[in-house]
Amino acid sequence: MAESRNWRISPRFWRITTGICLAACLVPVQSRTCWSDEPYELGPDSMQHEGVPIGAVTKHRWEQSSIFPGTQRDYWVYVPAKYDASKPACVMVFQDGGGYVSRDGAWRVPNVFDNLIHRGEMPITIGVFINPGVVPATSPETIERFNRSFEYDAMSDRYANFLSNEILPAIAKDFNISAAPSDRAICGASSGAIAAFAVAWHRPDQFRRVLSTIGTYVGLRGGDLFPTLIRKTEPKPIRVFLQDGSNDLNIYGGDWWMANQDMLSALTWAGYDVHHTWGEGGHNSKQGGAILPDALRWLWRDYPQPIEAKMSEQHELANLLIPGEEWELVSEGHRFTEGPAVAPDGTVYFTDVPTGEIWRVKAGQLSDGQHAELFAKDAPGASGLECDAEGQLYCCQISQGTVVRFQADGSREPIASDIGCNDLVVVSHGIYTTDPRDKCVWYVPLESKPGQPRKVPGTPRKVAEGIAGPNGIGVTPDQSYLCVVDAQGRYIWSFQIGDNGDLAYGQPYWYVHDPLETMRTGGDGVAAASDGWLYLATDMGIQVFDQPGRCHAIIPKPLADRPLSNVVFAGEEMHMMVVTSGDKVFRRKTNIAGVAPWQSPIKPEKPRL
């Protein structure tokens, strides 16, 4: 018989120790299991037993956050009886901590830890139970600001950095906690669950074990996008345990039961180490509390073996990336690197924008460690770089509004002045530059003239306008379309290149994922491969697009807390991906066949539409 779908509004609220209202739900009459009738009970592992050493729990207060200014919150620290300060202990963080820390509540985590640690079924682990922040009211006539959804449901890395940069360093002052990410676990229920997953997602360098119950992977603050991002992003070294019940919430933000199954499907498809327990319960802790001991055993199984990333064969990146090949450092010690470009002889150039310097890694040295050397200085605002077929290097000096051409010996000559030029691409007939200030694209013709050893620049002219934040720029492998990245929007624009360098039929074409909270992708440098696919440096990593403009995959950044500014292909057969990130330059060996604008045009095969 079909389930009744008659709805009534029911103000179901329960309070966490901070006094935060966790949920107000639409509940269907006579259609969901009564919470009091759910068949889940705590087992012996959740009880205290004679002869089992009891860990100590202490309460603390955090009031000095710079990431969540003005917030105050309680947190508790559990220290197992077997803790030895001379040895690093594992650590596990619980969101909505006041609901987990009690020894006679719904979760009874200290009891479970005592029993499992005593029997060696999980390592010596310090528990951190932290509540969401509250900004206190200014008077009895005003209300507090409750940060729970802002901190937990967000897709950004803000909460991950709060734990990694504020809370754990404070814990480490008093206790010897391991810095190894496989020694760190994180847990939460409902919005606390998506927060736990997001912390590990953004900072797998800090956390790699996730316990999620009745997870809020729905459209409250963009969490419904996680299954899509999991499928597209190169798998991260994370182990995930999921729990939910078929009578979980189905309200304005989405269907929790279906959303958790979407998460399981995505994690499994991508190749993650994931396990799940489904039940019939509602949006509560009953099943989660009952299975907690088994979930912890699964999360910590095979410890201390480190958790490593696994990729399934059907993943879009399985044939593009090489197993075991990670990002490797090329150069460091700069201020802000940009504009990587490859010359026909294999030399790779990049800029240090604040210092006005251009650096290079000579041909054959890209794979041999750090061999960057200074090529030119006194180039104020040096930003985008590009080489032509003769090996000449063109440089945008954004602060000067000039384009300069360098020879191999470092000598230079002006090419264009009084134009906006953040980034550029050089083709056989001219130069295109992006102008973020005037929101346009410039074209500088290059002509071969008798008696002239090099191509002579013509008069610059604007060939495209109206893009909010034109930034990175490139061409398709057949050199018939210009690709212009809108750093302020969510698209790469496509323009057809005419015989005289003019642009036609511009439209926002390639769809770029953004981190949601910023409402901008941070899209910058773009590179192409021989099959017509594009590779774009963004705030989320290198986004990979097919010819019809769809993002198929995302390769994470080498540094989680540093921006990506640009990407280029170099090395033997153009298989080496080189990126500029913050004050560093990285490389990664791939199976991708990159192309450069100075090569002869290549016509890719017609794509699947």
Side-chain angles (χ1 to χ4, degrees):
M1 182 175 180
E3 179 181 280
S4 170
R5 305 299 288 182
N6 297 319
W7 295 82
R8 64 179 173 84
I9 297 178
S10 174
R12 295 186 179 272
F13 297 97
W14 67 92
R15 302 182 67 82
I16 301 193
T17 55
T18 55
I20 296 175
C21 175
L22 181 61
C25 308
L26 289 170
V27 182
V29 177
Q30 298 180 344
S31 64
R32 292 188 183 272
T33 301
C34 177
W35 292 0
S36 61
D37 294 335
E38 291 179 17
Y40 305 112
E41 296 181 358
L42 299 178
D45 289 327
S46 300
M47 310 301 174
Q48 290 185 286
H49 298 282
E50 185 175 353
V52 175
I54 298 175
V57 176
T58 55
K59 185 177 181 180
H60 308 269
R61 187 78 170 165
W62 189 260
E63 299 180 343
Q64 59 267 31
S65 176
S66 60
I67 295 177
F68 298 114
T71 57
Q72 300 178 8
R73 70 192 74 215
D74 292 329
Y75 70 96
W76 296 257
V77 177
Y78 162 89
V79 181
K82 292 184 177 182
Y83 168 71
D84 181 351
S86 67
K87 301 176 182 179
C90 295
V91 63
M92 187 166 186
V93 178
F94 293 80
Q95 278 52 246
D96 295 316
Y100 287 90
V101 73
S102 172
R103 288 188 177 273
D104 57 2
W107 293 95
R108 308 188 185 188
V109 173
N111 296 347
V112 177
F113 272 33
D114 287 344
N115 291 322
L116 268 59
I117 291 173
H118 177 65
R119 295 198 298 268
E121 294 175 343
M122 65 177 286
I124 305 298
T125 304
I126 289 177
V128 179
F129 306 83
I130 186 164
N131 281 340
V134 176
V135 177
T138 57
S139 71
E141 290 73 33
T142 60
I143 193 172
E144 301 92 342
R145 186 178 75 196
F146 301 108
N147 253 33
R148 186 174 187 271
S149 179
F150 176 63
E151 295 177 6
Y152 287 2
D153 293 319
M155 291 287 285
S156 74
D157 61 357
R158 187 181 291 110
Y159 187 70
N161 292 333
F162 167 71
L163 293 182
S164 300
N165 301 340
E166 293 189 6
I167 297 301
L168 290 185
I171 303 296
K173 290 180 180 179
D174 298 322
F175 303 99
N176 186 3
I177 61 174
S178 173
S182 293
D183 290 355
R184 295 179 173 186
I186 188 163
C187 171
S190 187
S191 292
I194 191 173
F197 181 81
V199 166
W201 176 263
H202 288 297
R203 298 299 302 270
D205 61 320
Q206 296 289 321
F207 292 89
R208 294 192 177 178
R209 303 175 195 267
V210 179
L211 173 53
S212 164
T213 65
I214 56 173
T216 305
Y217 303 103
V218 297
L220 299 188
R221 292 179 180 263
D224 53 322
L225 288 179
F226 258 135
T228 298
L229 295 178
I230 289 168
R231 290 175 181 271
K232 292 188 176 185
T233 304
E234 179 184 2
K236 303 183 181 188
I238 303 172
R239 176 178 291 175
V240 184
F241 188 104
L242 296 170
Q243 175 274 328
D244 198 25
S246 58
N247 284 283
D248 204 343
L249 300 178
N250 186 6
I251 57 173
Y252 72 96
D255 187 322
W256 269 244
W257 170 239
M258 299 303 297
N260 276 272
Q261 293 179 77
D262 282 347
M263 285 289 290
L264 175 63
S265 177
L267 289 164
T268 302
W269 181 90
Y272 281 84
D273 184 8
V274 58
H275 189 65
H276 71 283
T277 295
W278 299 148
E280 299 178 353
H283 198 74
N284 58 62
S285 60
K286 288 195 172 184
Q287 186 183 17
I291 67 169
L292 176 63
D294 286 337
L296 291 176
R297 291 187 186 96
W298 184 85
L299 274 181
W300 291 105
R301 76 186 195 283
D302 65 29
Y303 181 82
Q305 181 176 332
I307 295 175
E308 299 178 349
K310 299 177 181 178
M311 184 185 297
S312 66
E313 294 181 355
Q314 67 262 32
H315 200 286
E316 294 286 339
L317 292 172
N319 294 323
L320 300 180
L321 300 180
I322 301 173
E325 292 290 347
E326 303 293 339
W327 291 110
E328 297 178 319
L329 186 65
V330 172
S331 186
E332 61 182 337
H334 310 284
R335 293 177 61 186
F336 183 80
T337 57
E338 242 285 26
V342 60
D345 69 354
T347 299
V348 174
Y349 298 88
F350 63 91
T351 63
D352 189 351
V353 180
T355 64
E357 296 174 341
I358 301 175
W359 292 72
R360 70 181 175 189
V361 180
K362 291 184 177 180
Q365 295 184 327
L366 190 60
S367 301
D368 299 333
Q370 300 183 49
H371 291 288
E373 62 181 27
L374 185 63
F375 170 70
K377 56 184 179 179
D378 298 326
S383 181
L385 300 176
E386 189 69 273
C387 292
D388 63 15
E390 288 72 42
Q392 300 170 115
L393 179 68
Y394 294 75
C395 172
C396 282
Q397 292 183 242
I398 187 170
S399 61
Q400 307 295 306
T402 60
V403 177
V404 177
R405 181 164 59 193
F406 287 84
Q407 303 305 313
D409 60 3
S411 60
R412 68 191 79 177
E413 60 180 316
I415 294 297
S417 59
D418 297 324
I419 66 172
C421 53
N422 175 68
D423 204 352
L424 80 168
V425 63
V426 181
V427 292
S428 60
H429 52 80
I431 306 167
Y432 293 95
T433 74
T434 50
D435 183 350
R437 182 190 61 190
D438 289 344
K439 305 182 188 304
C440 69
V441 177
W442 291 87
Y443 175 68
V444 183
L446 291 176
E447 303 175 4
S448 297
K449 293 187 177 182
Q452 296 288 344
R454 302 181 184 93
K455 289 184 177 180
V456 177
T459 303
R461 66 179 188 270
K462 292 182 179 180
V463 289
E465 297 184 85
I467 303 174
N471 196 345
I473 191 168
V475 291
T476 53
D478 61 3
Q479 299 184 15
S480 66
Y481 290 92
L482 188 73
C483 315
V484 181
V485 180
D486 183 0
Q488 299 299 324
R490 64 171 337 65
Y491 289 94
I492 305 172
W493 284 67
S494 174
F495 296 89
Q496 192 173 60
I497 300 174
D499 293 338
N500 62 353
D502 286 342
L503 303 179
Y505 314 127
Q507 61 185 32
Y509 186 74
W510 289 272
Y511 179 91
V512 185
H513 285 285
D514 64 55
L516 292 181
E517 288 203 340
T518 64
M519 297 305 293
R520 61 185 297 274
T521 65
D524 202 331
V526 63
S530 59
D531 56 6
W533 288 38
L534 294 185
Y535 294 77
L536 174 67
T538 74
D539 287 345
M540 298 180 70
I542 301 296
Q543 298 194 34
V544 184
F545 302 89
D546 64 10
Q547 291 183 54
R550 302 166 295 204
C551 178
H552 279 236
I554 303 173
I555 304 172
K557 301 179 292 186
L559 300 173
D561 59 345
R562 301 290 179 88
L564 280 182
S565 61
N566 219 317
V567 57
V568 71
F569 289 102
E572 186 176 354
E573 298 182 349
M574 303 287 277
H575 287 326
M576 186 78 75
M577 181 181 288
V578 180
V579 298
T580 45
S581 177
D583 60 346
K584 298 178 175 62
V585 180
F586 294 88
R587 65 174 182 261
R588 183 170 184 172
K589 295 178 182 178
T590 73
N591 289 322
I592 303 164
V595 295
W598 43 259
Q599 292 177 311
S600 299
I602 299 172
K603 181 181 179 180
E605 293 184 5
K606 181 181 178 180
R608 294 182 60 184
L609 303 178

